[in-house]
Amino acid sequence: VDLYRRRLTKGNAKDVKNEKPIQLSIRDRNSRCNFSFLKTFLLFIAICITYVMLLYSTKAYNSNHLPSVRSGWIWGGSDPRYTSDVDINWDDMLQITKKLTGKKEFQGLGLLNFNKTELDHWEQLIPNVTHVLLDLEYVAENVTWESLYPEWIEEEEGTQVPICPSLPSLRSPGIRLNLIALKLPHANGGNWPRDVARLHLQLAAARLATSFKSNYPVYVLFITKFFPIPNLFTCKELVRHEGNLWLYRPNLAVLRQKLLLPVGSCELSLPLRGKGVMVVEPSNCTFKLLMDHIDEFESYNGGDQGYLNEIFTWWHRIPRRMNFLKHFWVGDEEEKKQMKTLLFGAEPPVFYVLHYLGMKPWLCFRDYDCNWNDDIFHEFASDVAHERWWKVHDEMPKLLQEFCMLKTKQKAKLEWDRRQAEIANYSDGHWRIEVKDKRLKKCIDKLCSWKNMLKHWGETNWTDDESYYTPTPPAIATIPFSSVT
């Protein structure tokens, strides 16, 4: 009471300087100290509570929203393109992962595209390692399969340069991961191989796996009803497969090379510098994969090429010089035909591969392209390209040249076609060329007289002996990479 009495009122005329100092009793002092301590304590409690709540809410958010929506920093929600309803058999998961998690060097587990319930299962399944919730930004909604794999791009880059859409990558977790696990969607129904989100997740996991430079092994585990992209994660790298679980140990050096390719066929995949020998490696595992699913895919052209394109969807567009067609289209102007002819005979070669349409050079006389013998094959005829193939033939080992011999029946057919061209009096005049092909004198059949066979050519009751000699292939043969095939 004394304290409040000593306060100055508005109408008090006394000078403040003349006022005596306010004296507080010990009780008053203690009251003020206690009040100050109480405020500090309550503030500290509030800060602690806020920190705990913020920590829990962040963890809960990350657990429930993987991958999180980063575009425009819109919090909450999910993208249905990435949603997967694949059931996980955790007993199978235990069997597949226990050999990995039992090793001392196993330290980190990266998890991508799982819901909170599944994340809880992972923590119980592998409790003594660091669990990293991988944060992946969704791909833009305007990125479609058609934009990644357009039917046509301007290869010559006359008016525009083809550019692929951007697919976000995973941020580096900053710690060592031994296993990257991800769940793949299949929201595209029967067209699941051509699914943008599915492709995005696999490429993101591959890039993350190859970002680790140490020598320790890195495994990638897919949870999916269908197999991952086989030309990105190969069959020989498959460690184990149980139900919906596919465990791979990819060759990281090879995978890094693959990831140098564009996202899809939206850009040209330029050839590597330097020369090599192309190695074709047979794989019973890949063959079994193809045969096991042969009834599930419809070939767009009814053939093997259409089927393979349905399986190996991660394909890339190569320049035309990598597989140039020996063909003169109906609409080709004379200038363009001359340009093609110059390209066929260029030295040094400008083509990596020249694709011979029509009659193959080894089935023709060496003296000229036998596509000239029939008017419906004239669009495939080129003596310059024909000569190019025989130049490569002469550089092959002698043992391999034996496979290019002519059968007796083929010799008779060629001569018959040449005579028909003479009767038709084709203006190109190739039928006038004297044939000196030395293979005409070498027989690989039991019946060797092609001239006698020619006497009966076209008779309805005529038969021939189809048996012929096939040379034994060499035990080891090295075939240099050539400019034509």
Side-chain angles (χ1 to χ4, degrees):
V1 176
D2 292 338
L3 175 64
Y4 289 101
R5 287 178 179 173
R6 290 190 176 95
R7 287 184 176 177
L8 291 174
T9 61
K10 185 175 180 180
N12 195 337
K14 291 184 179 180
D15 192 346
V16 176
K17 293 181 180 179
N18 298 326
E19 183 70 32
K20 294 182 180 179
I22 300 175
Q23 300 295 326
L24 293 176
S25 65
I26 294 180
R27 183 176 180 180
D28 291 333
R29 292 177 185 175
N30 290 339
S31 298
R32 172 163 288 192
C33 291
N34 289 339
F35 182 71
S36 176
F37 174 78
L38 181 60
K39 288 197 299 184
T40 304
F41 178 75
L42 291 177
L43 180 62
F44 174 78
I45 294 298
I47 292 174
C48 291
I49 293 175
T50 302
Y51 176 78
V52 171
M53 292 180 64
L54 183 63
L55 185 65
Y56 175 80
S57 62
T58 301
K59 182 178 179 181
Y61 173 79
N62 288 335
S63 299
N64 285 288
H65 303 280
L66 285 176
S68 62
V69 182
R70 292 285 185 181
S71 179
W73 294 96
I74 301 174
W75 296 97
S78 61
D79 192 323
R81 295 175 299 172
Y82 291 77
T83 303
S84 174
D85 61 355
V86 179
D87 294 327
I88 301 177
N89 187 316
W90 293 100
D91 291 333
D92 289 345
M93 185 72 76
L94 177 61
Q95 295 302 316
I96 280 185
T97 60
K98 68 179 181 180
K99 289 185 178 180
L100 303 180
T101 57
K103 299 178 180 179
K104 293 182 179 179
E105 62 270 20
F106 193 97
Q107 297 181 7
L109 168 62
L111 299 170
L112 178 60
N113 208 34
F114 293 96
N115 59 44
K116 185 181 184 304
T117 301
E118 293 164 343
L119 294 174
D120 292 340
H121 277 292
W122 278 111
E123 293 179 353
Q124 297 174 15
L125 187 74
I126 311 175
N128 298 319
V129 300
T130 302
H131 296 77
V132 179
L133 309 183
L134 300 173
D135 185 18
L136 180 64
E137 180 182 345
Y138 294 139
V139 69
E141 292 187 2
N142 62 349
V143 176
T144 63
W145 195 263
E146 289 71 24
S147 65
L148 294 173
Y149 294 89
E151 291 187 8
W152 180 87
I153 63 171
E154 188 178 356
E155 182 173 330
E156 304 301 329
E157 300 182 359
T159 59
Q160 61 180 355
V161 177
I163 299 176
C164 282
S166 175
L167 298 185
S169 299
L170 287 166
R171 296 186 183 90
S172 174
I175 67 167
R176 164 176 162 180
L177 297 180
N178 301 94
L179 176 63
I180 302 170
L182 64 154
K183 192 167 63 164
L184 297 181
H186 57 281
N188 224 357
N191 199 27
W192 61 267
R194 289 179 168 83
D195 185 274
V196 174
R198 188 180 177 89
L199 172 65
H200 182 204
L201 288 166
Q202 293 181 75
L203 286 175
R207 288 169 182 156
L208 179 60
T210 57
S211 68
F212 302 112
K213 305 299 182 181
S214 302
N215 295 324
Y216 62 84
V218 177
Y219 294 83
V220 181
L221 175 63
F222 296 96
I223 295 90
T224 173
K225 292 181 180 179
F226 309 104
F227 52 84
I229 299 175
N231 46 341
L232 188 58
F233 295 93
T234 64
C235 190
K236 68 178 181 180
E237 296 171 340
L238 182 63
V239 176
R240 192 166 178 183
H241 170 218
E242 292 288 343
N244 295 330
L245 309 179
W246 304 72
L247 179 65
Y248 290 83
R249 182 182 178 181
N251 184 321
L252 298 183
V254 174
L255 191 56
R256 287 189 188 99
Q257 290 293 317
K258 293 180 181 180
L259 293 175
L260 296 177
L261 295 169
V263 173
S265 65
C266 34
E267 291 181 28
L268 283 177
S269 177
L270 299 178
L272 298 175
R273 298 184 181 274
K275 298 181 179 179
V277 177
M278 186 176 75
V279 179
V280 179
E281 181 181 4
S283 171
N284 287 331
C285 180
T286 302
F287 177 74
K288 185 177 185 303
L289 178 71
L290 294 172
M291 298 308 296
D292 286 347
H293 298 275
I294 197 168
D295 295 327
E296 298 177 19
F297 297 93
E298 182 178 353
S299 170
Y300 69 86
N301 63 358
D304 56 345
Q305 179 180 350
Y307 175 63
L308 293 175
N309 285 345
E310 293 296 323
I311 297 291
F312 300 95
T313 51
W314 193 57
W315 63 274
H316 298 83
R317 194 187 306 263
I318 58 176
R320 284 184 295 173
R321 65 180 182 272
M322 299 285 289
N323 188 26
F324 202 91
L325 301 182
K326 189 197 74 162
H327 184 256
F328 297 95
W329 305 102
V330 176
D332 281 351
E333 299 176 353
E334 189 60 33
E335 182 181 354
K336 193 163 188 177
K337 291 181 180 179
Q338 293 177 3
M339 181 271 293
K340 287 185 178 181
T341 300
L342 290 175
L343 292 176
F344 293 152
E347 287 292 350
V350 296
F351 295 142
Y352 287 80
V353 174
L354 181 55
H355 195 117
Y356 284 80
L357 301 180
M359 293 290 293
K360 306 302 182 183
W362 56 92
L363 296 177
C364 292
F365 293 132
R366 179 172 182 141
D367 306 85
Y368 68 88
D369 188 344
C370 61
N371 286 291
W372 291 112
N373 288 339
D374 195 324
D375 60 345
I376 66 172
F377 286 105
H378 282 184
E379 60 185 313
F380 306 125
S382 169
D383 288 338
V384 176
H386 188 75
E387 183 181 353
R388 164 69 69 185
W389 190 90
W390 282 101
K391 182 177 180 180
V392 174
H393 167 274
D394 294 342
E395 296 173 355
M396 292 167 54
K398 295 295 183 182
L399 286 173
L400 294 181
Q401 292 181 14
E402 293 293 324
F403 289 94
C404 299
M405 293 293 106
L406 285 174
K407 303 177 187 178
T408 301
K409 187 175 181 180
Q410 182 64 13
K411 297 173 187 177
K413 181 183 186 304
L414 288 173
E415 177 58 23
W416 174 268
D417 291 343
R418 191 198 66 79
R419 293 181 183 183
Q420 297 303 307
E422 181 179 6
I423 295 173
N425 195 26
Y426 291 146
S427 59
D428 59 86
H430 283 78
W431 47 269
R432 296 191 184 97
I433 297 175
E434 182 182 358
V435 178
K436 299 180 180 180
D437 194 330
K438 295 181 179 179
R439 295 177 301 162
L440 292 175
K441 298 180 179 180
K442 186 165 185 178
C443 178
I444 61 173
D445 303 282
K446 292 181 179 179
L447 296 178
C448 295
S449 179
W450 62 270
K451 294 182 179 179
N452 288 336
M453 187 180 292
L454 187 61
K455 294 178 183 179
H456 304 282
W457 198 266
E459 295 179 4
T460 56
N461 60 347
W462 175 78
T463 59
D464 66 315
D465 188 349
E466 292 288 348
S467 62
Y468 57 89
Y469 166 69
T470 303
T472 304
I476 299 178
T478 302
I479 307 176
F481 180 75
S482 81
S483 60
V484 294
T485 184

